[in-house]
DNA sequence: TCACAGTGACTTTTT
DNA sequence: GTCACTGTGA
């Protein structure tokens, strides 16, 4: 580089530098795995502030995870401290931020609380009492998906995407009920701001004037609703820059729309595209393998990663008999890594489904291997934690029906279903909030429940008072607390309004600026009581402490100490309605109790789903379960199959130094043992790019790569069983004539599921054909006709 | 109101 | 195989 660059730019490669300094048109940065994309985006924020004199508060940067938002903020700040004033948030946290500031216009109380997926399903069940919990779960997730696609209950094309009967009505009824409870769900955090911007030109104009620059990270994961919001946020003058990698789009099933990134340049005319293809993480040997698989996808923007670390050992595929051997094999990798002076935390074991972690969890302690599981059961999903959070939600929002139902009788105070119904009916009739309604119909309650309810109400009112919430029962919250927040006319989205831009940030010059909802770093003022103390009192007075203590003793659980953890988390927030709202929002939007978990820092092997590895890297990566039927599943085709290839690409590109793959011939799924064949993805890799071994890591006698002899294996359903590899093929069972009875398109009848049609037939070495059936109910299931008598072929 | 057993489901899951 | 939900019986 022959120009004098400030030090923070000096280390960038030419493409990165170009991306940082680009101006004047929409910018799409296609950033391959490990190409330094976070560095580019954070440097760009700093550069805009430093070199272009951009005021930080006119910069909006959105990400998808809180972790990414935190990292982005920290890194931008470390280059340029003024970046702390930029709005760097997740999409959802930005939505919540925006809605609280425009609550009145959005028809919300600014103290609204956010329902998670589980709460949504429970609410839906209240709307549809005749449906089972499971149906409600499914419907709730369909509604969430509809919101991802930006569809409203009155959208004309709702049925096209959601043809299930009554869906429109269900969606509308759910939305109606949600509005009554004064809550929003995740989808609303995107949907409602977009609606507001579309319908209120004044708000749109003010917002567009404020945010001159919008940056989006992980753009390939955005959904239609988020895309719409982005377009509404961007005015004609807005500089828009998105960063992403179409090859790493792995959340289609949750509504992510790869086309957002594929079509970006068409939608935003004049777009400049910059590709970051230099990979600083992995050896070339690893990237070659990753690139080979993903190159089988169609509709890519196309990138070729070049390793800045050439060479590297060939990835190794272990062909194993069963899961026990797989654990054994991983153990041997761990042990030999340790023997070479490596650390446990260098190693990650990846799998497709959470259930696969079980085998490792069972055996690792015996093997003396410490492990940590990333993302399994989450702290805030725990029963005892949700209980306390529900108390808090109800205290803040007495209309919160789900919270009320959850805690009114927990611990038991004699309020049964009948009692609950009485109160809910009364509230529905009078339109009062639940506490008021409960107070009003207390004499209708019978027996123990009467005193129980009185007690309960007194307690809740006591806590409301402690928080400074109005005790006028008709109030939705304290008017004083809202005074500054939901006034649409308040000019807090005006770009000139720098210092009080965000009341949650300290004015410049004050020590330690804090943030809500995305950092969890907010401190309660020293000397004042913190929210933590209120929580402590609540846990004691409600009887939850006693209740869970008992549970702990019986079941040996850690519930009480989990509650202590929660108290700790709350003690960072000030006592008061706003502190509480912030606390709840942070929790709702960031379920990962960050770093407070001591195991986080512990020296241990990481067990993790492939999905959860995005953004992470490890010196040693073992991708387990490379079997057809598991990864990919047999019913995955087209777009779904391409997404699985991308998932493989993500998994593999986590590895810095060594990559191992495993496939088991026998796999237990849902308690049943299946014979499998190796994943078709393995046949999509040029054979010379990896070595295959048998059990125990010993080189096997068959050729350098058993897949070499089988071009086309796994590509089609009718491909012959694997040849030439004794360990995995054992070809015997599949006779071609079996396929004539079980062929795609054939009609079948199943004892339990009824009539259906075969959509796919895959031969297996010795289990006969595996048929995938789509039933008239819509259900998709797979069977080995050899092992079941419930599936019959129907003659046409 | 609670405890227990039977039933059925069951990829992934940033927010 | 495991878990969570459902319904029954005391």
């Amino acid at each position: 580089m022959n120009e004098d660059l400030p030090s923070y730019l000096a280390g960038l490669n030419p493409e990165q530098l170009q991306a940082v300094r680009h101006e004047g048109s929409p910018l799409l940065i296609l950033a391959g795995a490990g190409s330094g994309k976070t560095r580019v985006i954070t440097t760009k924020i700093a550069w805009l502030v430093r070199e272009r004199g951009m005021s930080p508060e006119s910069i909006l940067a959105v990400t998808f995870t809180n972790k990414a938002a935190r990292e982005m903020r920290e890194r931008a700040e470390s280059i340029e401290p003024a970046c702390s004033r930029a709005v760097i948030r997740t999409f959802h946290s930005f939505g919540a931020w925006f809605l609280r500031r425009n609550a009145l216009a959005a028809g919300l109380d600014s103290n609204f609380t956010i329902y998670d997926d589980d709460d949504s399903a429970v609410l839906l069940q209240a709307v549809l009492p005749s449906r089972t919990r499971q149906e409600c779960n499914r419907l709730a997730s369909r509604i969430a998906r509809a919101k991802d696609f930006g569809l409203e209950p009155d959208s004309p094309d709702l049925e096209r995407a959601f043809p299930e009967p009554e869906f429109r009505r269900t969606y509308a009824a759910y939305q109606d009920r949600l509005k009554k409870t004064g809550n929003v769900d995740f989808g609303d955090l995107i949907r409602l701001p977009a609606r507001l911007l579309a319908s209120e030109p004044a708000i749109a104009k003010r917002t567009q004037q404020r945010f001159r620059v919008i940056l989006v990270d992980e753009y390939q994961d955005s959904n239609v609703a988020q895309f719409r919001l982005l377009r509404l946020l961007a005015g004609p003058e807005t500089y828009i820059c998105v960063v992403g990698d179409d090859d790493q789009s792995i959340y289609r099933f949750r509504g992510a729309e790869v086309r957002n990134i594929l079509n970006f340049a068409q939608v935003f005319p004049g777009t400049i595209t910059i590709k970051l293809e230099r990979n600083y993480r992995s050896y070339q040997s690893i990237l070659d393998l990753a690139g080979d698989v993903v190159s089988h996808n169609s509709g890519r923007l196309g990138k070729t990663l070049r390793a800045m670390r050439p060479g590297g050992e060939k990835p190794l595929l272990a062909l194993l008999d069963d899961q026990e051997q797989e654990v054994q094999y991983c153990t041997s990798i761990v042990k030999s890594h340790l023997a070479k002076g490596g650390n446990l935390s260098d190693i990650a074991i990846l799998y497709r489904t959470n259930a696969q972690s079980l085998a490792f969890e069972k055996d690792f302690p015996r093997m003396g291997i410490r492990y940590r599981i990333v993302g399994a059961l989450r702290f805030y999903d725990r029963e005892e934690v949700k209980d306390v959070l529900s108390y808090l939600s109800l205290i803040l929002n007495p209309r919160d029906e789900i919270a009320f139902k959850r805690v009114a009788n927990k611990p038991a105070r004699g309020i049964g279903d009948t009692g609950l119904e009485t109160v809910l009916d009364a509230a529905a009739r009078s339109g009062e909030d639940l506490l008021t309604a409960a107070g009003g119909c207390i004499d209708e309650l019978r027996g123990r429940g009467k005193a129980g309810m009185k007690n309960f109400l007194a307690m809740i009112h006591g806590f409301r008072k402690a928080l400074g919430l109005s005790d006028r029962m008709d109030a939705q919250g304290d008017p004083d607390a809202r005074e500054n927040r939901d006034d649409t006319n308040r000019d807090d989205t005006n770009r000139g309004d720098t210092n009080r831009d965000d009341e949650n940030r300290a004015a410049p010059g004050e020590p330690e600026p804090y943030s809500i909802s995305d950092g969890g770093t907010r401190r309660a003022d020293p000397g004042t009581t913190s929210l933590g103390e209120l929580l402590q009192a609540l846990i004691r007075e409600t009887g939850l402490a006693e209740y869970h203590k008992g549970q702990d003793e019986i079941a040996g659980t850690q519930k009480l100490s989990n509650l202590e953890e929660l108290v700790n988390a709350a003690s960072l927030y000030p006592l008061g309605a706003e502190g509480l709202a912030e606390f709840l929002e942070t929790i709702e939007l960031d379920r990962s109790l960050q770093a407070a978990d001591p195991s986080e820092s512990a020296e241990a092997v990481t067990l993790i789903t492939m999905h959860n590895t995005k953004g992470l890297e490890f010196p040693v990566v073992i991708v387990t379960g490379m079997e057809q039927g598991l990864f990919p599943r047999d019913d995955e085709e087209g777009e779904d199959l391409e997404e699985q290839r991308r998932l493989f690409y993500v998994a593999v590109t986590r590895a810095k130094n060594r990559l191992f793959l495993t496939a088991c011939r026998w796999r237990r799924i849902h308690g049943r043992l299946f014979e499998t064949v190796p994943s078709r993805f393995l046949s999509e890799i040029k054979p010379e790019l990896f070595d295959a071994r048998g059990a125990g890591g010993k080189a096997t006698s068959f050729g350098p790569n058993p897949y070499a002899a089988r071009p086309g294996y796994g590509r089609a359903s009718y491909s012959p069983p694997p040849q030439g590899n004794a360990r995995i093929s054992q070809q015997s069972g599949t006779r071609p004539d079996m396929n004539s009875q079980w062929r795609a398109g054939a009609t079948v009848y199943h004892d339990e599921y009824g009539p259906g049609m075969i959509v796919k037939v895959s031969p297996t070495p010795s289990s006969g054909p595996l048929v995938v059936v789509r039933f008239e109910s819509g259900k998709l299931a797979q069977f080995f006709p050899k092992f079941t008598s419930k599936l019959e072929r129907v003659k046409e």
Side-chain angles (χ1 to χ4, degrees):
Chain A
M1 245 150 277
N2 48 12
E3 57 183 312
D4 263 347
L5 289 172
S7 62
Y8 74 102
L9 296 179
L12 301 175
N13 70 37
E15 301 82 45
Q16 291 174 330
L17 190 62
Q18 188 197 354
V20 167
R21 297 203 288 192
H22 168 271
E23 288 182 285
S25 74
L27 177 64
L28 167 61
I29 304 174
L30 274 179
S35 64
K37 120 192 114 86
T38 309
R39 180 164 184 201
V40 166
I41 202 166
T42 53
T43 307
K44 191 172 181 82
I45 295 170
W47 178 81
L48 285 163
V49 172
R50 269 198 186 183
E51 256 67 45
R52 309 307 293 161
M54 185 74 69
S55 88
E57 33 285 297
S58 63
I59 298 173
L60 170 64
V62 287
T63 66
F64 282 86
T65 69
N66 290 285
K67 200 171 150 215
R70 266 194 301 277
E71 191 187 347
M72 193 184 291
R73 184 178 316 102
E74 281 161 15
R75 287 175 65 172
E77 271 182 51
S78 78
I79 304 173
E80 171 52 61
C83 291
S84 66
R85 279 149 48 212
V87 177
I88 302 178
R89 286 171 177 264
T90 64
F91 254 114
H92 290 89
S93 143
F94 170 76
W97 177 89
F98 183 84
L99 284 179
R100 288 198 203 281
R101 269 148 201 80
N102 298 284
L104 207 61
L108 292 165
D109 185 286
S110 69
N111 280 339
F112 66 81
T113 48
I114 301 161
Y115 273 170
D116 65 17
D117 297 347
D118 198 52
D119 299 328
S120 294
V122 176
L123 185 74
L124 197 58
Q125 191 156 40
V127 177
L128 304 168
S130 63
R131 307 297 192 98
T132 67
R133 180 58 208 277
Q134 214 146 38
E135 287 173 304
C136 289
N137 282 339
R138 195 160 307 146
L139 275 168
S141 92
R142 297 291 286 165
I143 290 173
R145 202 77 334 108
K147 291 186 177 185
D148 288 341
F149 286 111
L151 294 168
E152 304 274 338
D154 58 1
S155 295
D157 41 1
L158 188 66
E159 274 83 10
R160 193 144 26 106
F162 299 89
E164 46 266 59
E166 298 289 301
F167 184 73
R168 184 185 291 278
R169 233 173 46 126
T170 307
Y171 182 7
Y174 165 81
Q175 203 53 46
D176 187 53
R177 188 70 161 251
L178 190 59
K179 195 174 170 68
K180 285 206 178 88
T181 70
N183 292 76
V184 300
D185 60 20
F186 284 131
D188 287 349
L189 293 175
I190 309 299
R191 193 179 70 97
L192 295 177
R195 223 169 59 171
L196 208 53
L197 288 167
S199 65
E200 303 281 340
I203 295 178
K205 183 161 177 240
R206 217 170 44 231
T207 308
Q208 288 169 2
Q209 277 172 347
R210 158 140 187 196
F211 295 116
R212 316 301 294 192
V213 172
I214 301 178
L215 303 147
V216 186
D217 193 15
E218 302 280 13
Y219 186 64
Q220 77 282 354
D221 288 335
S222 60
N223 59 35
V224 172
Q226 287 158 338
F227 170 76
R228 185 171 297 173
L229 175 59
L230 187 64
R231 293 213 75 178
L232 288 159
L233 284 168
E237 304 290 306
T238 313
Y239 175 72
I240 181 159
C241 165
V242 303
V243 189
D245 180 358
D246 51 318
D247 290 333
Q248 292 189 65
S249 174
I250 55 172
Y251 285 105
R252 188 178 115 86
F253 67 94
R254 285 181 99 264
E257 181 55 78
V258 213
R259 274 173 290 189
N260 283 353
I261 193 166
L262 297 180
N263 299 338
F264 183 83
Q266 283 100 67
V267 175
F268 292 92
T271 291
I272 298 284
T273 301
I274 297 175
K275 293 185 185 181
L276 304 180
E277 297 176 295
R278 302 188 200 210
N279 173 293
Y280 295 91
R281 178 185 296 149
S282 312
Y283 282 121
Q284 188 67 49
S285 61
I286 292 167
L287 299 186
D288 286 343
L289 185 143
D292 242 17
V293 168
V294 86
S295 72
H296 285 76
N297 278 354
S298 56
R300 299 171 65 214
L301 291 169
K303 276 182 285 60
T304 310
L305 283 181
R306 275 170 294 127
M308 297 294 102
R309 304 171 67 203
E313 288 179 68
K314 271 191 195 179
L316 203 56
L317 166 68
L319 298 158
L320 307 161
D321 287 338
D322 53 27
Q323 287 162 101
E324 284 67 43
Q325 244 179 41
E326 193 174 49
V327 176
Q328 202 69 50
Y329 180 71
C330 292
T331 303
S332 70
I333 291 172
V334 172
K335 293 265 153 97
S336 87
H337 182 74
L338 291 178
K340 279 183 260 171
N343 297 316
L344 284 175
S345 57
D346 295 338
I347 303 170
I349 296 174
L350 277 53
Y351 37 79
R352 178 68 235 285
T353 68
N354 282 306
Q356 288 169 256
S357 73
L358 212 69
F360 297 102
E361 293 175 66
K362 261 207 317 246
D363 285 350
F364 271 178
R366 216 159 32 83
M367 308 288 191
I369 296 178
R370 279 187 304 281
Y371 62 87
R372 67 184 184 119
I373 299 182
V374 173
L377 62 132
R378 290 180 297 186
F379 182 76
Y380 292 109
D381 285 343
R382 289 164 208 258
E383 181 202 1
E384 65 276 18
V385 175
K386 286 214 84 166
D387 288 346
V388 174
L389 296 179
S390 285
Y391 269 105
L392 294 174
S393 300
L394 182 64
I395 287 166
L396 193 64
N397 173 12
R399 292 182 184 273
D400 190 331
E401 181 184 325
I402 300 307
F404 182 81
K405 283 205 273 200
R406 186 173 179 107
V407 299
N409 195 40
K410 194 158 189 181
R413 45 177 78 88
I415 305 165
D417 288 344
T418 342
L420 279 180
E421 278 312 307
T422 310
V423 175
L424 291 175
D425 281 354
R429 268 200 312 275
S430 66
E432 293 167 322
D433 71 74
L434 293 160
L435 300 180
T436 311
C441 62
I442 206 150
D443 286 326
E444 294 170 45
L445 299 176
R446 316 254 128 252
R448 196 157 72 87
K450 191 168 172 179
M453 181 61 87
K454 260 187 194 153
N455 239 320
F456 175 73
L457 290 178
M459 226 160 36
I460 300 291
H461 285 312
F463 288 120
R464 280 177 63 79
K465 199 165 278 174
L467 286 166
L469 286 160
S470 157
D471 246 334
R472 280 182 296 115
M473 288 300 100
D474 55 308
Q476 291 183 20
D478 183 354
D480 295 336
R482 289 155 48 203
E483 179 181 25
N484 269 347
R485 313 188 72 198
D486 59 358
D487 178 0
T488 331
N489 297 320
R490 183 181 160 213
D491 215 0
D492 73 347
T493 49
N494 193 322
R495 71 198 139 128
D497 193 8
T498 55
N499 280 357
R500 43 189 302 276
D501 133 58
D502 179 341
E503 66 262 41
N504 299 312
R505 290 184 189 281
E510 273 179 36
E512 211 166 353
Y514 50 74
S515 61
I516 62 157
S517 341
D518 38 22
T521 50
R522 171 151 196 166
R523 306 262 187 286
D525 293 340
T528 63
T529 334
S530 84
L531 195 61
E533 284 166 53
L534 180 120
L535 246 75
Q536 194 132 45
L538 186 145
I539 292 166
R540 201 180 44 241
E541 286 176 35
T542 53
L544 282 176
E546 198 60 30
Y547 177 81
H548 288 302
K549 196 172 147 200
Q551 301 266 302
D552 280 352
E553 280 160 11
I554 297 163
T557 48
Q558 303 268 307
K559 293 175 181 231
L560 212 53
S561 76
N562 285 336
L563 291 183
E564 276 160 25
E565 191 79 32
L566 191 64
V567 171
N568 283 338
S571 62
L572 298 171
Y573 295 79
L575 188 70
E578 272 193 52
L580 177 55
E582 287 161 20
F583 177 59
L584 288 176
E585 179 176 317
T586 306
I587 283 170
E588 238 13 280
L589 296 184
D590 186 2
R591 319 296 295 272
S592 62
L593 188 69
Q594 67 235 338
D597 183 356
S599 67
E600 184 81 3
S601 52
E603 181 53 30
V605 168
T606 300
L607 300 180
I608 190 169
T609 61
M610 298 187 206
H611 280 92
N612 269 326
T613 59
K614 194 143 72 126
L616 304 177
E617 59 177 32
F618 301 89
V620 179
V621 165
I622 312 172
V623 181
T624 64
M626 291 296 304
E627 296 132 34
Q628 193 60 29
L630 181 63
F631 183 44
R633 286 160 56 120
D634 280 315
D635 55 353
E636 281 164 333
E637 310 176 295
E639 294 268 293
D640 290 331
L641 182 61
E642 300 215 342
E643 177 145 309
Q644 297 308 300
R645 282 203 190 91
R646 296 192 288 261
L647 183 58
F648 181 71
Y649 174 85
V650 168
V652 162
T653 53
R654 300 308 99 193
K656 291 165 78 170
N657 302 335
R658 291 300 311 270
L659 173 66
F660 299 92
L661 308 166
T662 66
C664 296
R665 191 178 139 202
W666 295 96
R667 173 72 60 183
R668 193 177 289 282
I669 298 171
H670 304 330
R672 278 202 53 181
L673 206 55
F674 290 89
E675 186 165 18
T676 73
V677 296
S679 168
R680 60 180 286 165
F681 294 157
L682 295 168
S683 68
E684 296 174 353
I685 305 166
K686 283 196 248 358
E688 64 270 22
L689 292 182
F690 67 108
D691 286 329
R693 304 285 174 92
K698 290 190 287 283
T700 47
S701 52
F702 49 80
N705 185 335
Y707 297 91
R710 296 180 280 109
Y713 161 70
R715 199 164 297 157
S717 342
Y718 308 103
S719 59
Q723 306 286 321
N725 173 7
R727 196 161 280 287
I728 55 165
S729 66
Q730 292 290 306
Q731 40 150 343
S732 57
T734 318
R735 284 179 305 270
D737 57 0
M738 293 276 293
N739 287 347
S740 56
Q741 186 183 163
W742 307 106
R743 57 173 173 76
T747 315
V748 293
Y749 185 86
H750 188 272
D751 273 3
E752 290 156 52
Y753 306 134
M757 193 169 84
I758 297 180
V759 295
K760 195 178 176 100
V761 181
S762 318
T764 62
S766 62
S767 304
L770 172 69
V771 304
V772 181
V773 181
R774 161 98 50 200
F775 290 99
E776 282 179 7
S777 61
K779 183 189 170 66
L780 203 62
Q782 51 186 37
F783 306 89
F784 287 107
K786 193 174 170 183
F787 298 130
T788 182
S789 51
K790 291 185 176 175
L791 190 71
E792 287 172 62
R793 176 83 163 77
V794 178
K795 297 271 178 286
E796 273 123 27

